[in-house]
Amino acid sequence: MVKLRLKRCGRKQRIVAIDVRSRREGKDLRKVGFYDPLKNQTYLNVPAILYFLEKGAQPTGTVQDILKKAEIFKELRPNQTKFN
């Protein structure tokens, strides 16, 4: 299973698509954005995020909050907005 989660990268954190069996600093499938908590700044690769969400990727709690704030879930079909 693939998850969208945060990966540390200096003071910023990258949002990556990664296999659930990998460690936090393990090899990611693709970098889909970054989040800077000090400046409260985000950059999101929306097409890549939508691609992984449509394929069944599950965002972690923090990443889900970031995506809700950026209104990413409005671009998905209504039946795909439910996550475990």
Side-chain angles (χ1 to χ4, degrees):
M1 179 197 288
V2 175
K3 280 208 173 214
L4 295 176
R5 66 182 186 200
L6 294 173
K7 181 177 180 180
R8 299 190 105 188
C9 181
R11 64 184 178 121
K12 295 179 185 176
Q13 297 189 14
R14 290 192 187 273
I15 301 171
V16 297
I18 194 167
D19 187 30
V20 294
R21 295 171 292 188
S22 297
R23 296 181 306 188
R24 182 187 69 194
E25 303 303 322
K27 181 153 176 68
D28 51 65
L29 300 173
R30 185 165 182 190
K31 297 172 181 70
V32 295
F34 74 83
Y35 171 62
D36 187 354
L38 297 178
K39 295 181 182 176
N40 200 17
Q41 182 181 28
T42 58
Y43 167 77
L44 302 172
N45 184 350
V46 177
I49 292 171
L50 291 176
Y51 170 79
F52 281 109
L53 290 175
E54 288 173 355
K55 295 295 182 183
Q58 298 289 315
T60 60
T62 307
V63 172
Q64 189 169 0
D65 292 341
I66 292 169
L67 297 179
K68 278 183 187 176
K69 191 184 292 187
E71 299 179 349
I72 298 293
F73 296 120
K74 291 184 179 180
E75 299 180 29
L76 283 176
R77 291 187 293 252
N79 61 350
Q80 291 182 330
T81 58
K82 295 181 181 176
F83 300 107
N84 294 343

